[in-house]
Amino acid sequence: MNFKSILLTFAVLLSTIGLTSCVDETTFANNPHGNFEALWRIIDEHYCFFDYKQKTYNLDWNEVHDKYARQFNEGMTEDQLFEVLGNMLAELRDGHVNMYSRFNLARNWSWHEDFPTNFSDTLFNKYIGTDYRQTNGMQYRILDDNIGYLRCASFENGFGSGNLDEIFAYFAPCNGLIIDIRNNGGGLITSAETLAARFTNKELLVGYMQHKTGKGHNDFSSMREQRLRPARSIRWQKRVAVLTNRRVYSAANEFVKYMRCCPKATIVGDKTGGGAGLPFSSELPNGWGVRFSACPMYDKDQHSTEFGIDPDHKVGLTMADIIQGRDAIIEYARHLLTQ
């Protein structure tokens, strides 16, 4: 199966909000302990980053079982059960791991919560102005130094070829291009690939992916190549800077992975948030939904990007910048592109 077929198959799976294919599980009792054992087993048999996270921060899923097993009793309320199960899932430190009930959503946002935002709506509004163009959820304009600026805040929408042609034709006179994906939490991987395909003239190896072949923590298929094919329409031939921060996640993280392989692209800003696992879903005995990373993806050097991608140029946004009305990340990119 080629990369395009993989993308079409898994387009919705990389959305940070969507649920996907289900897995069959052994029957457990619908009581607090039964739901705990069901959840622990689902993750144990299908989650894809145990080895990586054991090496990164000494995660031991068996120890997690022993730690939380003693916290369950038959007198627990639903709220208490949800809280403890959510705490157990948080041990995975994975933004693609969620639990859904009729009253709450268990989530782990540690990948961005303790980091600077490096983005300001006030500054963005200053740079984009009021006479910008807009299509497919993207906003764009030409800055006063003849640098194009494209704001892509989400990959939740599909990008039409005609819309992108109009954008790149508009930017044709520009000396360089900035693509600002800060705070982009992901969406459709096909959208990330469609946009990235405008920045290469030849097919590129951009990464690899695997899928689980068994219930063991290390039961995976062989590495399958991810290849980025050039768009069949207008392609950008000049330098491009991609702006990132810690809230760049999931399909947006994949976009950065693709762009790092494009010859005239530079990444500016902060390390991305990561999210390199293709999410699948299942259900607990009480009907609560569970989502988890099941298929790992890697960069072209077969390194995991689960915990983010470092920029080529690390630049932050300070309070002084905001007071002065200056976005240091945009300005740094403009400097690079006008050298």
Side-chain angles (χ1 to χ4, degrees):
M1 183 182 293
N2 61 35
F3 184 32
K4 188 68 173 181
S5 297
I6 294 171
L7 290 172
L8 291 174
T9 302
F10 295 131
V12 181
L13 299 181
L14 272 187
S15 169
T16 56
I17 58 173
L19 283 174
T20 61
S21 304
C22 293
V23 292
D24 294 329
E25 299 302 330
T26 304
T27 300
F28 291 91
N30 184 12
N31 56 42
H33 191 266
N35 281 287
F36 158 69
E37 292 291 349
L39 179 58
W40 185 89
R41 180 69 61 82
I42 289 169
I43 301 300
D44 181 65
E45 294 181 352
H46 301 285
Y47 187 68
C48 68
F49 288 123
F50 282 122
D51 185 59
Y52 174 71
K53 295 189 176 180
Q54 192 280 325
K55 294 176 181 177
T56 304
Y57 63 93
N58 296 317
L59 174 68
D60 186 321
W61 195 238
N62 289 319
E63 287 186 1
V64 170
H65 180 280
D66 296 341
K67 173 182 176 180
Y68 286 90
R70 65 179 70 99
Q71 300 183 39
F72 295 90
N73 62 75
E74 297 310 309
M76 297 178 74
T77 65
E78 279 193 321
D79 284 339
Q80 291 170 334
L81 176 63
F82 192 90
E83 179 181 0
V84 179
L85 292 179
N87 290 341
M88 182 179 74
L89 291 177
E91 301 278 355
L92 298 171
R93 303 184 188 180
D94 190 331
H96 276 143
V97 174
N98 304 105
M99 183 171 62
Y100 304 80
S101 74
R102 68 183 185 281
F103 56 85
N104 204 354
L105 167 67
R107 67 273 184 189
N108 181 267
W109 289 338
S110 60
W111 47 274
H112 70 75
E113 285 178 326
D114 298 326
F115 297 86
T117 58
N118 284 320
F119 182 79
S120 164
D121 286 324
T122 299
L123 293 183
F124 166 69
N125 290 330
K126 175 183 176 181
Y127 279 82
I128 198 69
T130 57
D131 57 344
Y132 59 85
R133 296 190 173 199
Q134 181 168 315
T135 184
N136 274 123
M138 295 182 289
Q139 299 159 300
Y140 61 104
R141 69 169 302 138
I142 298 176
L143 302 178
D144 55 16
D145 54 356
N146 203 36
I147 296 296
Y149 176 81
L150 174 66
R151 170 67 177 152
C152 179
S154 174
F155 286 121
E156 292 182 1
N157 298 318
F159 296 149
S161 178
N163 299 117
L164 292 180
D165 284 347
E166 290 291 336
I167 291 173
F168 287 104
Y170 174 74
F171 285 142
C174 295
N175 297 324
L177 175 62
I178 293 172
I179 301 180
D180 190 346
I181 63 166
R182 289 176 294 175
N183 288 12
N184 186 326
L188 303 176
I189 192 173
T190 48
S191 295
E193 187 249 0
T194 297
L195 184 57
R198 297 288 178 145
F199 298 94
T200 180
N201 293 320
K202 63 179 182 179
E203 183 175 312
L204 299 173
L205 173 66
V206 293
Y208 296 87
M209 68 181 302
Q210 293 177 295
H211 63 268
K212 288 294 295 283
T213 58
K215 297 180 178 181
H217 287 186
N218 295 305
D219 291 343
F220 291 102
S221 66
S222 59
M223 291 282 189
R224 176 176 291 174
E225 291 183 349
Q226 292 176 298
R227 290 190 169 271
L228 179 67
R229 292 181 174 84
R232 296 181 179 179
S233 192
I234 299 176
R235 297 192 293 269
W236 185 254
Q237 305 298 322
K238 304 172 189 177
R239 298 175 67 189
V240 55
V242 180
L243 309 189
T244 58
N245 65 355
R246 286 293 296 185
R247 288 177 178 263
V248 171
Y249 197 75
S250 192
N253 188 72
E254 284 287 288
F255 176 75
V256 175
K257 186 179 84 174
Y258 305 156
M259 293 298 290
R260 288 177 71 197
C261 302
C262 295
K264 295 186 178 181
T266 303
I267 313 303
V268 179
D270 201 359
K271 186 175 184 177
T272 65
L278 200 65
F280 275 29
S281 65
S282 188
E283 187 174 291
L284 301 185
N286 63 2
W288 293 351
V290 182
R291 188 179 72 151
F292 52 90
S293 299
C295 297
M297 293 180 290
Y298 308 87
D299 67 14
K300 64 182 179 62
D301 299 314
Q302 299 188 10
H303 297 149
S304 176
T305 61
E306 166 67 2
F307 282 149
I309 299 171
D310 288 312
D312 298 309
H313 302 271
K314 186 173 178 60
V315 185
L317 187 63
T318 67
M319 183 57 67
D321 292 322
I322 296 175
I323 293 174
Q324 295 170 10
R326 175 181 180 274
D327 190 316
I329 300 176
I330 292 179
E331 293 301 331
Y332 191 95
R334 294 172 78 173
H335 174 71
L336 286 177
L337 295 173
T338 54
Q339 282 184 324

